[in-house]
Amino acid sequence: MAKNLVLILNCGSSSIKFAVIDPQSSLVSLSGLVQNIGSHDANIKYKQEKQAETHKLPNIDYHEALVAIIKIIQSFKNITTDIKAIGHRVVHGGEKFTKSAIITEKVLQAIRDCSTLAPLHNPANVLGIESTMREFPGIKQVAVFDTAFHQTMPEYAYIYPIPYDLYQKYGIRRYGFHGTSHRFVCNQAALALEKNINKCAFITAHLGNGCSVAAVLNGKSVDTSMGFTPLEGLVMGTRSGDIDPSLHVHLVDNLGYDIHKVTDILNKQSGLLGISGTDSDMRTIESKAIAGEKRALLALEIFCYRLAKYIASLTVPLGRIDALIFTGGIGENSPIVRERTLTWIKLLGFKIDLKHNDANGKENNGIITKEGSPIAMVVPTNEELLIAQDTLALTLNS
Ligand code: ADP
């Protein structure tokens, strides 16, 4: 029987992920990625049922990487014939996109226009869209934006307290990212708690290599920790999160750093990596902390402490919490991070159930707190599935 499969393309700055998904059953027929594009150790990995392959593609450029991916997808003829639509993860939709959109020439131009806001990502997203338009003519394509979910933030949450002109003339404001993940886990949590999403107050903590929290009231984002770029907010794997903006001028004037070096340090050499001096990966940080390594312990504590402060601050726009949701690689798999964070915000009354927390929420419907406590829960994210669902929903009846 013919299926309605959706091809998902997630074009990052140096890697491209792809997957072919059935949005109804959530089954993945084919998935893979090209990583380290442009370097000598670039390679492509893909998996179809039990068959997994890796091929080296030394010094491949971005365009060639897209060609290699499309060739692999097209080599699975039985899958290709069932692809009914293509969904693209697009990082920045500026203020133009408040939800996912079918890609037309006008939409594509608007995505190009947002490149000044995401110079590393939007041009890559555009290349991905142009390639699939060429190679899969006649198949409808949809853009799903990281920023769109947060476009419901009120003005007082997204305007920076800097000259208002900078917003009016240049769009300098808080946008927020990880929107697909925050939206997906809120929907899942409402289902698990048997509540109407339109009557829920959630705080979502997406903790992966990049980390952000969001306050979601009645299904709409009302505030989030990331801002103009994904650098603002929480401590992340290699990003600093919030720092004093005067640090830039201090490092430039007193230490002779180039401004781009400062940006590079804050994005790529800070966070867990910067504090520990050795690791950006939370698994390694945790095992070193457990072994008593001081800098790893400090990195873990700063991560949890700052996360707790942000969670507490997001109670302001909500007034109440139906659930605090942990997701992403760290949020879903780290009992230590969840426990330390909930301990820091004890004023909010969370009483953790250690057994359920250790089981990463795989029992008790995801809930990791005791009966009678405000609810904290673990909800696995699945951004690809939401992209596939949006894509199919928009294209089926268009
Ligand atoms: P990305 O943001 O790149 O999608 P992920 O959501 O996969 O990343 O999250 C990666 C992070 O999750 C890494 O810091 C990794 O160490 C962490 N992580 C994965 N599994 C565990 C685990 N069992 N315990 C602690 N951290 C984990």
Side-chain angles (χ1 to χ4, degrees):
M1 199 175 73
K3 293 181 198 150
N4 288 327
L5 299 184
V6 176
L7 166 61
I8 307 295
L9 209 57
N10 180 351
C11 292
S13 49
S14 65
S15 71
I16 306 173
K17 294 184 189 158
F18 63 97
V20 180
I21 301 182
D22 181 337
Q24 268 124 3
S25 66
S26 73
L27 273 178
V28 178
S29 356
L30 173 68
S31 64
L33 82 164
V34 180
Q35 49 194 351
N36 306 320
I37 295 172
S39 80
H40 66 281
D41 54 354
N43 60 59
I44 185 162
K45 293 184 177 173
Y46 62 93
K47 210 172 130 197
Q48 199 259 334
E49 291 186 347
K50 284 182 187 129
Q51 177 196 352
E53 300 212 14
T54 303
H55 301 287
K56 290 188 174 155
L57 300 169
N59 305 318
I60 196 169
D61 70 20
Y62 210 89
H63 176 71
E64 291 163 339
L66 282 163
V67 171
I69 287 174
I70 290 169
K71 229 168 144 183
I72 282 169
I73 296 166
Q74 290 177 333
S75 72
F76 293 97
K77 295 215 163 43
N78 54 331
I79 292 178
T80 313
T81 49
D82 283 341
I83 294 176
K84 298 294 182 318
I86 300 173
H88 295 266
R89 176 186 181 203
V90 178
V91 167
H92 223 302
E95 289 189 328
K96 291 196 183 92
F97 296 101
T98 55
K99 50 185 181 216
S100 305
I102 293 196
I103 301 174
T104 58
E105 214 16 79
K106 216 169 134 199
V107 166
L108 186 56
Q109 189 51 44
I111 295 172
R112 284 192 197 102
D113 292 345
C114 289
S115 292
T116 44
L117 297 171
L120 291 181
H121 291 95
N122 273 37
N125 300 149
V126 168
L127 283 178
I129 294 168
E130 288 170 341
S131 293
T132 50
M133 281 182 143
R134 241 186 342 262
E135 297 297 329
F136 298 91
I139 295 197
K140 293 211 171 85
Q141 319 226 4
V142 168
V144 179
F145 301 91
D146 267 21
T147 48
F149 183 57
H150 300 299
Q151 279 296 304
T152 46
M153 282 195 287
E155 217 178 1
Y156 53 77
Y158 71 71
I159 292 291
Y160 285 116
I162 58 176
Y164 195 73
D165 262 14
L166 291 172
Y167 165 59
Q168 285 178 309
K169 288 193 188 145
Y170 308 108
I172 295 175
R173 50 159 282 180
R174 308 184 65 249
Y175 288 97
F177 299 86
H178 289 148
T180 319
S181 178
H182 290 294
R183 177 156 72 103
F184 181 82
V185 296
C186 284
N187 290 337
Q188 295 301 112
L191 283 174
L193 299 173
E194 297 182 4
K195 289 193 168 180
N196 180 346
I197 179 87
N198 297 321
K199 292 186 178 154
C200 284
F202 290 138
I203 294 179
T204 47
H206 175 101
L207 311 174
N209 284 309
C211 301
S212 69
V213 279
V216 182
L217 188 60
N218 306 332
K220 293 189 169 67
S221 171
V222 289
D223 205 350
T224 189
S225 58
M226 283 179 168
F228 181 64
T229 74
L231 184 57
E232 188 177 333
L234 302 173
V235 174
M236 312 182 208
T238 62
R239 294 189 196 121
S240 61
D242 293 346
I243 48 134
D244 184 336
S246 299
L247 214 61
H248 282 78
V249 74
H250 182 84
L251 293 175
V252 170
D253 286 356
N254 294 297
L255 303 184
Y257 286 13
D258 170 71
I259 190 76
H260 296 292
K261 181 175 174 187
V262 178
T263 305
D264 193 69
I265 289 173
L266 296 177
N267 278 286
K268 298 189 181 148
Q269 299 170 44
S270 297
L272 295 175
L273 176 63
I275 306 163
S276 70
T278 48
D279 302 284
S280 65
D281 190 289
M282 185 55 94
R283 272 169 297 206
T284 322
I285 293 286
E286 280 185 11
S287 47
K288 289 189 176 177
I290 289 165
E293 279 193 31
K294 276 199 175 137
R295 294 262 292 277
L297 265 166
L298 183 62
L300 183 62
E301 197 65 332
I302 295 174
F303 183 93
C304 297
Y305 174 67
R306 287 192 168 221
L307 170 60
K309 284 209 298 183
Y310 251 104
I311 291 170
S313 75
L314 289 185
T315 60
V316 171
L318 295 181
R320 65 170 217 282
I321 310 176
D322 289 308
L324 165 62
I325 302 163
F326 289 95
T327 194
I330 300 171
E332 292 167 32
N333 298 298
S334 174
I336 298 180
V337 166
R338 292 189 301 263
E339 208 230 291
R340 280 306 297 152
T341 306
L342 290 185
T343 304
W344 275 116
I345 41 174
K346 56 179 174 293
L347 203 66
L348 296 180
F350 288 101
K351 301 215 170 17
I352 196 158
D353 182 311
L354 293 176
K355 180 171 160 287
H356 293 324
N357 187 43
D358 281 348
N360 288 323
K362 295 216 164 64
E363 46 191 46
N364 203 32
N365 227 2
I367 297 172
I368 56 164
T369 38
K370 291 181 177 158
E371 194 82 34
S373 155
I375 293 174
M377 60 197 294
V378 176
V379 179
T381 193
N382 192 341
E383 292 163 271
E384 283 84 11
L385 181 58
L386 188 57
I387 294 174
Q389 288 169 343
D390 268 16
T391 301
L392 193 65
L394 276 173
T395 52
L396 256 192
N397 303 315
S398 70

